Amino acid sequence: MTKLHPTSTSLLEIQNSNSLLDIQNSASLLEIQNSTIRYTWISYFLFVLLSSIAGDTLILVSSVKHRAFKLHPFIVSCIQHIAVADLLVALTAVLPRLVSLVAEGWVLGDLLCAVGPFVMIYPVTVSIILICVMATSKLVILKFPAVSTDLTARKGHLVCGVFWVFALNIPTAMLVVDETDVTYDYRTYTCHYSFSSPTWNWLEPLLAMINSIIPNFLVVGSTIPLMVYLIKARQVSRRIRGARRWQGILTTFVTVAVYSVSALPYSVYRALESQSDVIKDPDGSLFRVAVSFLFLNTISNFYIYLFTVPSFRNFLSGKIDTVYTSMSLTSFRTTKISSLRGSSSKSRGEIISPKITNRGADHV
């Protein structure tokens, strides 16, 4: 049976208390006591939130409306679905953490604390599976070129849609097993599901195998072949002075590599945590760092595509140039109009002044 963290608060306790705030008033060794450290975490999660919202929105707009990704259509559809999943992660996982860090406790109400973990785990699971789909499909496209033409954008959306539905298995199981098994974790400043029921002794490993272990195994298994294809394609590209093909491989390879790096610290921590005498983390600081690495995957995609997809980079560069030119023209027109108005006023003054002087002389 999974034990609750000593300073966590279960939903049953919340329901039996007057308010969640009454429970939070109790001292917690896991709370961040140093203001500098807390502001550092606030800055980090604010950066993650803004980067994800801006970056993923640009990815979706540029790929859907302007078709700025000149990659295989199946891969582009995966990119779009991953962007949607990352946006949901930012809103359901990053934003509550940021608010709690700023407020130094949970202030979003009991209802959001109870519902949040079921919503938060869903896009995280989807993102993992879709990265697996992207990596394996790219490998299939490279290894079996004849299949490439059959993998259309429509089929990509269909496959991704199936996995969006499939990923509901975890929140559904959580609701069925024990919908009240929710705690507030001071290590992450958010509410989470505790998996305390004995049913999870056999169900949790099964779901982990289906939703995490197998996809991660496929991702890692695809990395080495993709790297080999990348090296070969790069060499061919240099000989024929081309770039498109190897850059498509590079995009997938870097996405997979960044995902693997972001997941590694958390995986290692969980593995060591199972051996209570191995890891010592009394204030939860190591766990916070391990969890924070997971969000590198959330913010990295925009920068990866900016670096590895020339068509996307050129599209954004063109838009920036257009905006800059428009602003420059507006500024020039404003300056010109102001200058003309000043010249006109000065001319009228020069014409009127002699008349006034002559009238004064006549009157004298």
Side-chain angles (χ1 to χ4, degrees), residues 203-361:
L203 185 57
E204 187 175 10
L206 177 62
L207 293 179
M209 177 67 69
I210 296 173
N211 296 280
S212 180
I213 297 176
I214 292 178
N216 284 327
F217 177 79
L218 291 174
V219 166
V220 174
S222 302
T223 303
I224 296 176
L226 282 174
M227 184 170 62
V228 173
Y229 274 109
L230 176 61
I231 294 172
K232 291 181 178 179
R234 179 57 175 158
Q235 292 172 347
V236 173
S237 177
R238 285 178 175 175
R239 285 199 298 267
I240 64 175
R241 296 183 180 181
R244 181 174 298 178
R245 186 171 179 230
W246 76 266
Q247 285 167 345
I249 305 173
L250 180 64
T251 301
T252 305
F253 174 76
V254 175
T255 301
V256 170
V258 171
Y259 165 74
S260 300
V261 171
S262 68
L264 184 61
Y266 183 78
S267 301
V268 171
Y269 186 96
R270 283 303 191 190
L272 295 177
E273 191 181 40
S274 61
Q275 307 295 327
S276 57
D277 57 337
V278 174
I279 189 168
K280 304 296 181 183
D281 190 23
D283 61 351
S285 58
L286 293 179
F287 184 75
R288 286 191 193 99
V289 173
V291 171
S292 69
F293 267 83
L294 295 173
F295 296 107
L296 293 178
N297 183 60
T298 305
I299 64 175
S300 63
N301 290 333
F302 170 77
Y303 302 103
I304 291 173
Y305 305 148
L306 195 64
F307 172 69
T308 63
V309 184
S311 58
F312 178 57
R313 183 169 60 249
N314 293 337
F315 166 77
L316 291 181
S317 177
K319 288 296 181 182
I320 293 173
D321 290 342
T322 301
V323 172
Y324 177 78
T325 302
S326 178
M327 292 176 63
S328 298
L329 288 174
T330 302
S331 177
F332 174 77
R333 289 170 182 170
T334 303
T335 304
K336 189 69 174 177
I337 291 172
S338 299
S339 177
L340 290 173
R341 287 177 177 174
S343 300
S344 177
S345 299
K346 185 177 180 180
S347 299
R348 286 197 300 267
E350 290 174 350
I351 294 171
I352 293 171
S353 296
K355 291 183 179 179
I356 295 175
T357 304
N358 291 336
R359 288 178 182 175

Side-chain angles (χ1 to χ4, degrees), residues 74-88:
F74 192 96
I75 299 300
V76 174
S77 64
C78 291
I79 288 174
Q80 292 168 348
H81 283 268
I82 291 172
V84 173
D86 287 344
L87 271 175
L88 292 176

